[in-house]
Amino acid sequence: PRLLSQFFFADERVTRVVAEINGLDAELDPQQYLVLLNQLHLSQAHLLAVLERIMEECIPTQRHSRDYLVKFPEELLVDNLGNHMLFAAECLLAGTFLDMEESDGAQLRPQARNLLCSLELVRTVLREQSLSQPSSYPEPVRAVLIQFDRLFAEFELSYVSSLVAVKSPDEIYRQQEIIVLFCETVERALHLGYLTQEMIDGYEPLLMFTIPRLAIISGLLIYPEGPLSLERSPEEMSRVFSPFYNLLKKIRDLLRVLSAEELCLLERSLCTAE
């Protein structure tokens, strides 16, 4: 059950697979080469997972901030992102630039080299610790873990930023505004009886349509200074709504001519229509 012991065996497996790959002629046996590459990918992912648990146990308050992850596109936030970063660093060090300009790759190579050297040091230190005192983390062990964690985070941010357009602070703030709008919309709908707490607690599928519809009305009429404010230019709005700027103006103009009773009837119908 000790994490250092788990790390030792996970590290042994990575070392063994790498040795098999190095001893194989890929041109003579390409099928076996692909099998070994897949084994390496899986064994490295397991090694990183154990290492992550060790850092959470050993340096929980000294971890490098991962707040930058909110800037990443949602499709990149996968469970094995760390393993992808390790693979990317290995490719960069080998001179292979995946989906990026050669100049960008050249700039990232020093970071990739530092990260991989740090990982090798972590593996060496943790192996030695697992063989001597597998139940403790002395200061030298903590120091190399802190350094690796920092280098990994810095490389991850730099690498992803070179591939995709990460969200700006303004875009992140606009998304937070939308979250607030949806929360206030739900609170208002509960107060007016459009929705029930049981529907929310039971994850009623209809809510996927109802809440956004009600949020548009709330954003245009009830909270006009919020993320749906049409006093802003389309460029100043969230990318969720900016493509529909002209349509939102038409909807707002139509909503303004409704009486309170008609607005209530409209909102109730939006809670039931598919």
Side-chain angles (χ1 to χ4, degrees):
R2 290 177 296 194
L3 288 177
L4 281 175
S5 297
Q6 294 179 33
F7 182 87
F8 177 86
F9 289 107
D11 186 74
E12 282 278 284
R13 184 182 179 191
V14 171
T15 301
R16 184 173 63 252
V17 176
V18 170
E20 290 185 43
I21 290 176
N22 291 337
L24 181 70
D25 189 328
E27 293 184 358
L28 293 179
D29 196 348
Q31 187 67 32
Q32 180 62 16
Y33 182 72
L34 292 177
V35 170
L36 290 175
L37 279 182
N38 183 60
Q39 290 181 9
L40 178 61
H41 178 80
L42 295 175
S43 60
Q44 285 180 332
H46 179 57
L47 181 71
L48 289 179
V50 176
L51 180 56
E52 177 69 22
R53 292 168 60 196
I54 288 176
M55 290 191 292
E56 282 299 312
E57 181 178 85
C58 179
I59 54 170
T61 61
Q62 297 169 288
R63 298 295 303 273
H64 193 84
S65 173
R66 294 310 198 273
D67 290 347
Y68 60 81
L69 290 174
V70 301
K71 298 181 178 182
F72 290 2
E74 284 74 10
E75 61 269 19
L76 291 184
L77 301 178
V78 293
D79 292 338
N80 58 346
L81 179 60
N83 205 36
H84 288 315
M85 292 300 103
L86 181 58
F87 177 70
E90 292 170 339
C91 289
L92 286 172
L93 200 58
T96 302
F97 307 111
L98 299 174
D99 301 324
M100 67 170 54
E101 297 293 333
E102 184 174 344
S103 58
D104 293 333
Q107 290 183 345
L108 285 173
R109 284 189 73 182
Q111 280 185 281
R113 181 182 297 106
N114 291 338
L115 172 61
L116 294 176
C117 288
S118 178
L119 177 59
E120 286 304 308
L121 179 59
V122 166
R123 291 177 63 183
T124 299
V125 170
L126 291 184
R127 279 175 64 89
E128 293 175 352
Q129 188 65 24
S130 67
L131 293 172
S132 58
Q133 294 178 302
S135 299
S136 64
Y137 301 101
E139 186 55 35
V141 173
R142 297 166 60 86
V144 296
L145 288 173
I146 291 172
Q147 180 190 48
F148 171 74
D149 188 47
R150 176 180 61 82
L151 291 174
F152 199 105
E154 291 174 352
F155 176 78
E156 185 173 57
L157 176 57
S158 298
Y159 181 78
V160 173
S161 299
S162 69
L163 291 180
V164 298
V166 297
K167 299 171 186 172
S168 66
D170 286 342
E171 181 62 22
I172 294 172
Y173 179 75
R174 292 170 191 150
Q175 287 189 340
Q176 291 172 337
E177 281 190 313
I178 295 173
I179 294 172
V180 172
L181 172 63
F182 273 53
C183 290
E184 291 176 337
T185 296
V186 171
E187 183 178 357
R188 177 173 174 269
L190 288 171
H191 177 72
L192 295 176
Y194 297 155
L195 307 176
T196 66
Q197 191 63 49
E198 290 73 20
M199 295 172 65
I200 296 174
D201 294 341
Y203 300 101
E204 173 63 44
L206 185 61
L207 296 179
M208 295 177 61
F209 302 97
T210 298
I211 294 176
R213 290 167 174 171
L214 294 178
I216 290 174
I217 294 180
S218 295
L220 293 174
L221 292 185
I222 312 301
Y223 310 108
E225 303 301 320
L228 284 181
S229 173
L230 297 179
E231 300 304 316
R232 306 175 180 179
S233 66
E235 293 75 20
E236 294 175 314
M237 297 179 70
S238 169
R239 285 180 289 181
V240 175
F241 295 116
S242 58
F244 310 104
Y245 184 82
N246 292 330
L247 177 60
L248 289 171
K249 289 184 69 173
K250 294 179 181 179
I251 294 174
R252 182 195 60 182
D253 294 342
L254 290 173
L255 292 174
R256 282 177 171 175
V257 303
L258 298 179
S259 65
E261 293 77 11
E262 290 171 331
L263 179 62
C264 178
L265 180 62
L266 172 62
E267 290 185 305
R268 287 191 178 280
S269 66
L270 292 177
C271 294
T272 57
E274 296 183 359

Coordinates of all heavy atoms in Angstrom, one line a residue, residues 146-219:
I146 N 9.3 19.3 -5.7 CA 8.8 20.7 -5.9 C 9.3 21.2 -7.2 O 8.6 21.9 -7.9 CB 9.3 21.5 -4.7 CG1 8.5 21.1 -3.4 CG2 9.0 23.0 -5.0 CD1 9.0 21.8 -2.2
Q147 N 10.6 20.9 -7.5 CA 11.2 21.4 -8.7 C 10.5 20.8 -9.9 O 10.2 21.5 -10.9 CB 12.7 21.1 -8.8 CG 13.4 21.6 -10.1 CD 14.8 21.0 -10.2 OE1 15.0 19.9 -10.0 NE2 15.7 21.9 -10.5
F148 N 10.3 19.5 -9.9 CA 9.6 18.8 -11.0 C 8.2 19.3 -11.2 O 7.8 19.6 -12.3 CB 9.6 17.3 -10.7 CG 8.7 16.5 -11.7 CD1 9.2 16.3 -13.0 CD2 7.5 16.1 -11.4 CE1 8.4 15.6 -13.9 CE2 6.7 15.4 -12.3 CZ 7.1 15.2 -13.6
D149 N 7.5 19.5 -10.1 CA 6.1 20.0 -10.2 C 6.1 21.4 -10.9 O 5.2 21.7 -11.8 CB 5.5 20.1 -8.8 CG 4.0 20.4 -8.9 OD1 3.3 19.8 -9.7 OD2 3.6 21.3 -8.1
R150 N 7.0 22.2 -10.5 CA 7.1 23.6 -11.1 C 7.5 23.5 -12.6 O 6.8 24.2 -13.5 CB 8.1 24.4 -10.4 CG 8.4 25.8 -11.0 CD 9.4 26.6 -10.2 NE 10.7 25.9 -10.2 CZ 11.6 26.0 -11.2 NH1 11.3 26.7 -12.3 NH2 12.7 25.4 -11.1
L151 N 8.5 22.7 -13.0 CA 8.9 22.6 -14.4 C 7.8 22.0 -15.2 O 7.6 22.4 -16.4 CB 10.2 21.8 -14.4 CG 11.4 22.4 -13.9 CD1 12.6 21.4 -13.9 CD2 11.8 23.7 -14.6
F152 N 7.1 21.0 -14.7 CA 6.0 20.4 -15.4 C 4.9 21.4 -15.7 O 4.4 21.5 -16.9 CB 5.4 19.2 -14.6 CG 4.6 18.3 -15.5 CD1 5.2 17.0 -15.8 CD2 3.4 18.6 -16.0 CE1 4.5 16.1 -16.6 CE2 2.7 17.7 -16.7 CZ 3.2 16.5 -17.1
A153 N 4.5 22.2 -14.7 CA 3.5 23.2 -14.9 C 3.9 24.2 -15.9 O 3.1 24.7 -16.8 CB 3.1 23.8 -13.6
E154 N 5.1 24.7 -15.8 CA 5.6 25.7 -16.7 C 5.6 25.2 -18.2 O 5.3 25.9 -19.1 CB 7.0 26.2 -16.3 CG 6.9 27.0 -15.0 CD 8.3 27.3 -14.5 OE1 9.3 26.8 -15.1 OE2 8.5 28.1 -13.5
F155 N 6.1 24.0 -18.3 CA 6.1 23.4 -19.7 C 4.7 23.2 -20.2 O 4.5 23.5 -21.4 CB 6.9 22.1 -19.7 CG 6.9 21.4 -21.0 CD1 7.7 21.8 -22.1 CD2 6.0 20.4 -21.3 CE1 7.7 21.2 -23.3 CE2 6.0 19.7 -22.6 CZ 6.9 20.2 -23.6
E156 N 3.8 22.7 -19.4 CA 2.4 22.5 -19.8 C 1.8 23.8 -20.4 O 1.2 23.8 -21.4 CB 1.6 21.9 -18.7 CG 0.2 21.5 -19.0 CD -0.5 20.8 -17.9 OE1 -0.5 21.4 -16.8 OE2 -0.9 19.6 -18.1
L157 N 2.0 24.8 -19.6 CA 1.4 26.1 -20.0 C 2.0 26.6 -21.3 O 1.3 27.1 -22.2 CB 1.5 27.1 -18.9 CG 1.0 28.6 -19.2 CD1 -0.4 28.6 -19.6 CD2 1.3 29.5 -18.0
S158 N 3.3 26.6 -21.4 CA 4.0 27.1 -22.6 C 3.7 26.2 -23.8 O 3.5 26.8 -24.9 CB 5.5 27.0 -22.3 OG 5.9 27.9 -21.3
Y159 N 3.6 24.9 -23.6 CA 3.4 24.0 -24.8 C 2.0 24.2 -25.3 O 1.8 24.4 -26.5 CB 3.6 22.6 -24.4 CG 3.4 21.6 -25.5 CD1 4.4 21.4 -26.5 CD2 2.2 20.9 -25.7 CE1 4.2 20.5 -27.6 CE2 2.0 20.0 -26.7 CZ 3.0 19.8 -27.7 OH 2.8 19.0 -28.7
V160 N 1.0 24.2 -24.5 CA -0.4 24.4 -24.9 C -0.6 25.7 -25.5 O -1.3 25.9 -26.5 CB -1.4 24.1 -23.8 CG1 -2.8 24.4 -24.2 CG2 -1.3 22.6 -23.3
S161 N 0.0 26.8 -24.9 CA -0.1 28.1 -25.4 C 0.4 28.3 -26.8 O 0.0 29.1 -27.6 CB 0.5 29.1 -24.5 OG 0.0 29.1 -23.2
S162 N 1.4 27.5 -27.2 CA 2.0 27.5 -28.5 C 1.2 26.8 -29.5 O 1.4 27.0 -30.7 CB 3.4 26.9 -28.5 OG 3.4 25.5 -28.3
L163 N 0.2 26.0 -29.1 CA -0.6 25.2 -30.0 C -2.0 25.8 -30.3 O -2.5 25.8 -31.4 CB -0.7 23.8 -29.5 CG 0.5 22.9 -29.5 CD1 0.1 21.5 -29.0 CD2 1.0 22.7 -30.9
V164 N -2.6 26.3 -29.2 CA -3.9 26.8 -29.3 C -4.0 28.2 -28.7 O -3.1 28.6 -27.9 CB -4.9 25.8 -28.6 CG1 -4.9 24.5 -29.3 CG2 -4.6 25.7 -27.1
A165 N -5.1 28.9 -29.0 CA -5.3 30.2 -28.4 C -6.0 29.9 -27.0 O -7.1 29.5 -26.9 CB -6.2 31.0 -29.3
V166 N -5.2 30.2 -26.0 CA -5.7 30.0 -24.6 C -6.6 31.2 -24.3 O -6.5 32.3 -24.9 CB -4.6 29.9 -23.6 CG1 -3.7 28.7 -23.8 CG2 -3.7 31.1 -23.6
K167 N -7.5 31.0 -23.4 CA -8.5 32.0 -23.0 C -7.8 33.2 -22.3 O -6.9 33.0 -21.5 CB -9.6 31.5 -22.1 CG -10.4 30.3 -22.7 CD -11.3 29.7 -21.7 CE -11.9 28.4 -22.2 NZ -12.7 27.7 -21.2
S168 N -8.2 34.4 -22.7 CA -7.7 35.6 -22.1 C -8.4 35.8 -20.7 O -9.4 35.2 -20.5 CB -7.9 36.8 -23.0 OG -9.3 37.1 -23.1
P169 N -7.8 36.6 -19.8 CA -8.5 36.9 -18.6 C -9.9 37.5 -18.8 O -10.8 37.2 -18.0 CB -7.5 37.9 -17.9 CG -6.2 37.6 -18.4 CD -6.4 37.1 -19.9
D170 N -10.0 38.3 -19.9 CA -11.3 38.9 -20.1 C -12.4 37.8 -20.5 O -13.5 37.8 -20.0 CB -11.2 39.9 -21.3 CG -10.6 41.2 -20.9 OD1 -10.5 41.4 -19.7 OD2 -10.1 41.9 -21.8
E171 N -11.9 36.8 -21.3 CA -12.8 35.7 -21.7 C -13.2 34.9 -20.5 O -14.4 34.5 -20.3 CB -12.2 34.9 -22.8 CG -13.1 33.7 -23.3 CD -14.4 34.2 -23.9 OE1 -14.5 35.4 -24.4 OE2 -15.3 33.4 -24.0
I172 N -12.3 34.6 -19.6 CA -12.5 33.9 -18.4 C -13.5 34.6 -17.5 O -14.5 34.0 -17.0 CB -11.2 33.6 -17.6 CG1 -10.3 32.7 -18.4 CG2 -11.5 33.0 -16.3 CD1 -9.0 32.5 -17.8
Y173 N -13.4 35.9 -17.4 CA -14.3 36.7 -16.6 C -15.7 36.7 -17.3 O -16.7 36.6 -16.5 CB -13.8 38.2 -16.5 CG -14.7 39.1 -15.8 CD1 -14.8 39.0 -14.4 CD2 -15.6 40.0 -16.4 CE1 -15.7 39.8 -13.7 CE2 -16.4 40.8 -15.7 CZ -16.5 40.7 -14.4 OH -17.4 41.5 -13.7
R174 N -15.8 36.7 -18.6 CA -17.1 36.7 -19.2 C -17.8 35.4 -19.0 O -19.0 35.3 -18.8 CB -16.9 36.9 -20.8 CG -16.5 38.3 -21.1 CD -16.1 38.4 -22.6 NE -15.5 39.7 -22.9 CZ -14.5 39.9 -23.8 NH1 -14.2 38.8 -24.6 NH2 -14.0 41.1 -24.0
Q175 N -17.0 34.3 -19.0 CA -17.6 33.0 -18.7 C -18.1 32.9 -17.3 O -19.2 32.3 -17.0 CB -16.5 31.9 -18.9 CG -16.2 31.6 -20.4 CD -15.4 30.4 -20.6 OE1 -14.7 30.0 -19.6 NE2 -15.4 29.8 -21.8
Q176 N -17.4 33.6 -16.4 CA -17.8 33.6 -15.0 C -19.1 34.4 -14.9 O -20.0 34.1 -14.1 CB -16.8 34.2 -14.1 CG -15.5 33.3 -13.9 CD -14.4 34.0 -13.2 OE1 -14.3 35.2 -13.1 NE2 -13.5 33.2 -12.6
E177 N -19.2 35.5 -15.7 CA -20.5 36.2 -15.7 C -21.7 35.4 -16.2 O -22.8 35.5 -15.6 CB -20.3 37.4 -16.7 CG -19.6 38.6 -16.1 CD -19.7 39.8 -17.0 OE1 -19.5 39.6 -18.3 OE2 -20.0 40.9 -16.6
I178 N -21.4 34.5 -17.1 CA -22.5 33.6 -17.6 C -22.9 32.7 -16.5 O -24.1 32.4 -16.4 CB -22.0 32.9 -18.9 CG1 -21.8 33.9 -20.0 CG2 -23.0 31.8 -19.3 CD1 -21.1 33.3 -21.3
I179 N -21.9 32.1 -15.8 CA -22.2 31.2 -14.7 C -23.1 31.9 -13.7 O -24.1 31.4 -13.2 CB -20.9 30.7 -14.0 CG1 -20.1 29.8 -15.0 CG2 -21.2 29.9 -12.8 CD1 -18.8 29.4 -14.5
V180 N -22.8 33.1 -13.3 CA -23.6 33.9 -12.4 C -25.0 34.1 -12.9 O -26.0 34.0 -12.2 CB -22.9 35.3 -12.1 CG1 -23.8 36.1 -11.2 CG2 -21.6 35.0 -11.3
L181 N -25.1 34.5 -14.2 CA -26.4 34.7 -14.8 C -27.2 33.4 -14.8 O -28.4 33.5 -14.4 CB -26.2 35.1 -16.3 CG -27.5 35.2 -17.1 CD1 -28.5 36.2 -16.6 CD2 -27.2 35.4 -18.6
F182 N -26.7 32.3 -15.0 CA -27.4 31.0 -15.0 C -27.9 30.7 -13.5 O -29.0 30.3 -13.3 CB -26.6 29.9 -15.5 CG -26.7 29.7 -17.0 CD1 -26.5 30.8 -17.9 CD2 -27.0 28.5 -17.6 CE1 -26.6 30.6 -19.3 CE2 -27.2 28.3 -18.9 CZ -26.9 29.4 -19.8
C183 N -27.0 31.0 -12.6 CA -27.3 30.8 -11.2 C -28.5 31.7 -10.7 O -29.4 31.2 -10.1 CB -26.1 31.0 -10.3 SG -24.8 29.8 -10.4
E184 N -28.4 32.9 -11.1 CA -29.5 33.9 -10.8 C -30.8 33.5 -11.5 O -31.9 33.7 -11.0 CB -29.1 35.3 -11.1 CG -27.9 35.8 -10.2 CD -27.5 37.2 -10.6 OE1 -27.6 37.6 -11.8 OE2 -26.9 37.9 -9.8
T185 N -30.7 33.0 -12.7 CA -31.8 32.6 -13.5 C -32.5 31.4 -12.8 O -33.8 31.4 -12.6 CB -31.4 32.2 -14.9 OG1 -30.9 33.3 -15.6 CG2 -32.6 31.6 -15.7
V186 N -31.7 30.4 -12.3 CA -32.3 29.3 -11.6 C -33.0 29.7 -10.3 O -34.1 29.3 -10.0 CB -31.2 28.2 -11.3 CG1 -31.8 27.2 -10.4 CG2 -30.7 27.6 -12.6
E187 N -32.3 30.6 -9.6 CA -32.9 31.1 -8.3 C -34.2 31.8 -8.6 O -35.2 31.6 -7.9 CB -31.9 32.1 -7.7 CG -32.4 32.6 -6.3 CD -31.3 33.5 -5.6 OE1 -30.3 33.7 -6.2 OE2 -31.6 34.0 -4.5
R188 N -34.3 32.7 -9.6 CA -35.5 33.4 -9.9 C -36.6 32.4 -10.4 O -37.8 32.5 -10.0 CB -35.2 34.4 -11.0 CG -36.4 35.2 -11.5 CD -36.0 36.3 -12.5 NE -37.2 36.9 -13.1 CZ -37.8 36.5 -14.2 NH1 -37.3 35.5 -14.9 NH2 -38.9 37.1 -14.7
A189 N -36.2 31.4 -11.2 CA -37.2 30.4 -11.7 C -37.8 29.6 -10.5 O -39.0 29.3 -10.5 CB -36.6 29.5 -12.7
L190 N -37.0 29.3 -9.5 CA -37.5 28.6 -8.4 C -38.4 29.5 -7.6 O -39.5 29.0 -7.1 CB -36.3 28.1 -7.5 CG -35.4 27.0 -8.0 CD1 -34.2 26.8 -7.1 CD2 -36.2 25.7 -8.0
H191 N -38.1 30.7 -7.4 CA -38.9 31.7 -6.7 C -40.3 31.9 -7.3 O -41.3 31.9 -6.7 CB -38.2 33.0 -6.6 CG -39.0 34.1 -5.9 ND1 -39.2 34.0 -4.5 CD2 -39.6 35.2 -6.3 CE1 -40.0 35.1 -4.2 NE2 -40.2 35.8 -5.3
L192 N -40.3 31.9 -8.7 CA -41.5 32.1 -9.4 C -42.3 30.8 -9.7 O -43.4 30.9 -10.2 CB -41.2 32.8 -10.7 CG -40.7 34.2 -10.6 CD1 -40.3 34.8 -12.0 CD2 -41.7 35.2 -9.9
G193 N -41.7 29.7 -9.3 CA -42.4 28.4 -9.5 C -42.3 27.8 -10.9 O -43.0 26.9 -11.2
Y194 N -41.4 28.4 -11.7 CA -41.2 27.8 -13.0 C -40.5 26.4 -12.9 O -40.8 25.5 -13.7 CB -40.3 28.7 -13.9 CG -40.9 30.1 -14.2 CD1 -40.1 31.2 -14.5 CD2 -42.3 30.3 -14.2 CE1 -40.6 32.4 -14.8 CE2 -42.8 31.5 -14.4 CZ -41.9 32.6 -14.7 OH -42.5 33.8 -15.0
L195 N -39.6 26.3 -12.0 CA -38.9 25.1 -11.7 C -39.1 24.6 -10.3 O -39.5 25.4 -9.4 CB -37.4 25.2 -12.0 CG -36.9 25.8 -13.4 CD1 -35.4 26.0 -13.4 CD2 -37.4 24.9 -14.5
T196 N -38.8 23.4 -10.0 CA -38.8 22.9 -8.6 C -37.4 22.3 -8.3 O -36.6 22.0 -9.1 CB -39.9 21.7 -8.5 OG1 -39.4 20.6 -9.3 CG2 -41.2 22.2 -9.0
Q197 N -37.2 22.3 -7.0 CA -35.9 21.8 -6.5 C -35.8 20.3 -6.8 O -34.7 19.8 -7.1 CB -35.8 22.0 -5.0 CG -34.4 21.7 -4.4 CD -33.4 22.7 -5.0 OE1 -33.6 23.9 -5.0 NE2 -32.2 22.1 -5.5
E198 N -36.9 19.6 -6.9 CA -36.8 18.2 -7.2 C -36.3 18.0 -8.7 O -35.6 17.0 -8.9 CB -38.2 17.6 -7.1 CG -38.7 17.4 -5.6 CD -39.1 18.7 -5.0 OE1 -39.4 19.7 -5.7 OE2 -39.1 18.8 -3.7
M199 N -36.7 18.9 -9.6 CA -36.3 18.8 -11.0 C -34.8 19.0 -11.0 O -34.1 18.2 -11.8 CB -37.0 19.9 -11.8 CG -38.5 19.7 -12.0 SD -39.2 21.1 -12.8 CE -38.5 21.0 -14.4
I200 N -34.2 19.9 -10.2 CA -32.8 20.1 -10.2 C -32.1 19.0 -9.6 O -31.1 18.5 -10.1 CB -32.5 21.5 -9.5 CG1 -33.1 22.6 -10.3 CG2 -31.0 21.7 -9.4 CD1 -33.0 24.0 -9.6
D201 N -32.5 18.5 -8.4 CA -31.9 17.4 -7.7 C -31.9 16.2 -8.5 O -31.0 15.3 -8.4 CB -32.5 17.2 -6.4 CG -32.3 18.4 -5.4 OD1 -31.4 19.2 -5.7 OD2 -33.1 18.5 -4.5
G202 N -32.9 16.0 -9.3 CA -33.1 14.8 -10.1 C -32.5 14.9 -11.5 O -32.6 14.0 -12.4
Y203 N -31.8 16.0 -11.8 CA -31.2 16.2 -13.1 C -32.2 16.0 -14.2 O -31.9 15.3 -15.2 CB -30.0 15.3 -13.3 CG -28.9 15.5 -12.3 CD1 -28.8 14.6 -11.2 CD2 -28.0 16.5 -12.4 CE1 -27.8 14.8 -10.3 CE2 -27.0 16.7 -11.4 CZ -26.9 15.8 -10.4 OH -25.9 16.0 -9.4
E204 N -33.3 16.7 -14.1 CA -34.4 16.6 -15.1 C -33.8 17.0 -16.5 O -33.3 18.1 -16.7 CB -35.5 17.5 -14.8 CG -36.6 17.6 -15.8 CD -37.3 16.3 -16.1 OE1 -37.6 15.6 -15.2 OE2 -37.5 16.0 -17.3
P205 N -33.8 16.1 -17.5 CA -33.2 16.5 -18.8 C -33.7 17.7 -19.5 O -33.0 18.4 -20.2 CB -33.5 15.2 -19.7 CG -33.7 14.1 -18.7 CD -34.3 14.8 -17.5
L206 N -35.0 18.0 -19.2 CA -35.6 19.2 -19.8 C -34.9 20.5 -19.4 O -34.9 21.5 -20.1 CB -37.1 19.3 -19.4 CG -37.9 20.4 -20.0 CD1 -38.0 20.3 -21.5 CD2 -39.4 20.4 -19.4
L207 N -34.2 20.5 -18.2 CA -33.5 21.7 -17.7 C -32.4 22.1 -18.7 O -32.0 23.3 -18.7 CB -32.9 21.4 -16.4 CG -33.9 21.1 -15.2 CD1 -33.2 20.9 -13.9 CD2 -34.9 22.3 -15.1
M208 N -31.9 21.2 -19.5 CA -30.8 21.5 -20.4 C -31.3 22.5 -21.5 O -30.5 23.3 -22.1 CB -30.3 20.3 -21.1 CG -29.6 19.3 -20.2 SD -29.1 17.8 -21.1 CE -27.9 18.5 -22.3
F209 N -32.6 22.5 -21.7 CA -33.2 23.5 -22.6 C -33.9 24.7 -21.9 O -33.8 25.8 -22.3 CB -34.3 22.8 -23.5 CG -33.8 21.6 -24.3 CD1 -33.9 20.3 -23.8 CD2 -33.1 21.8 -25.5 CE1 -33.5 19.3 -24.5 CE2 -32.7 20.7 -26.2 CZ -32.8 19.4 -25.7
T210 N -34.5 24.4 -20.8 CA -35.2 25.4 -20.0 C -34.3 26.5 -19.5 O -34.6 27.7 -19.7 CB -36.0 24.7 -18.9 OG1 -36.9 23.8 -19.4 CG2 -36.7 25.8 -18.1
I211 N -33.3 26.1 -18.8 CA -32.4 27.1 -18.1 C -31.8 28.1 -19.1 O -31.8 29.3 -18.9 CB -31.4 26.4 -17.2 CG1 -32.1 25.7 -16.1 CG2 -30.4 27.4 -16.7 CD1 -31.2 24.9 -15.1
P212 N -31.2 27.6 -20.2 CA -30.6 28.6 -21.2 C -31.7 29.5 -21.8 O -31.4 30.7 -22.0 CB -30.0 27.7 -22.3 CG -29.7 26.4 -21.6 CD -30.8 26.2 -20.6
R213 N -32.9 29.0 -22.0 CA -33.9 29.8 -22.6 C -34.3 30.9 -21.6 O -34.4 32.1 -21.9 CB -35.2 29.0 -22.9 CG -35.0 28.1 -24.1 CD -36.1 27.1 -24.1 NE -36.1 26.2 -25.3 CZ -36.9 25.1 -25.5 NH1 -37.8 24.8 -24.6 NH2 -36.8 24.4 -26.6
L214 N -34.5 30.5 -20.3 CA -34.9 31.5 -19.3 C -33.7 32.5 -19.1 O -33.9 33.7 -18.8 CB -35.2 30.8 -18.0 CG -36.5 29.9 -18.0 CD1 -36.7 29.3 -16.6 CD2 -37.7 30.8 -18.3
A215 N -32.5 32.0 -19.2 CA -31.3 32.8 -19.0 C -31.2 33.9 -20.0 O -30.8 35.1 -19.7 CB -30.0 32.0 -19.0
I216 N -31.6 33.7 -21.3 CA -31.6 34.7 -22.3 C -32.6 35.8 -21.9 O -32.3 37.0 -22.1 CB -32.0 34.0 -23.7 CG1 -30.8 33.1 -24.1 CG2 -32.3 35.1 -24.7 CD1 -31.1 32.4 -25.4
I217 N -33.8 35.4 -21.5 CA -34.8 36.4 -21.1 C -34.2 37.2 -19.9 O -34.3 38.4 -19.8 CB -36.1 35.8 -20.8 CG1 -36.7 35.2 -22.0 CG2 -37.1 36.8 -20.1 CD1 -38.1 34.5 -21.8
S218 N -33.7 36.5 -18.9 CA -33.1 37.2 -17.7 C -32.0 38.1 -18.1 O -31.9 39.3 -17.6 CB -32.6 36.2 -16.7 OG -33.7 35.4 -16.2
G219 N -31.1 37.7 -19.0 CA -30.0 38.5 -19.4 C -30.4 39.7 -20.2 O -29.7 40.7 -20.1

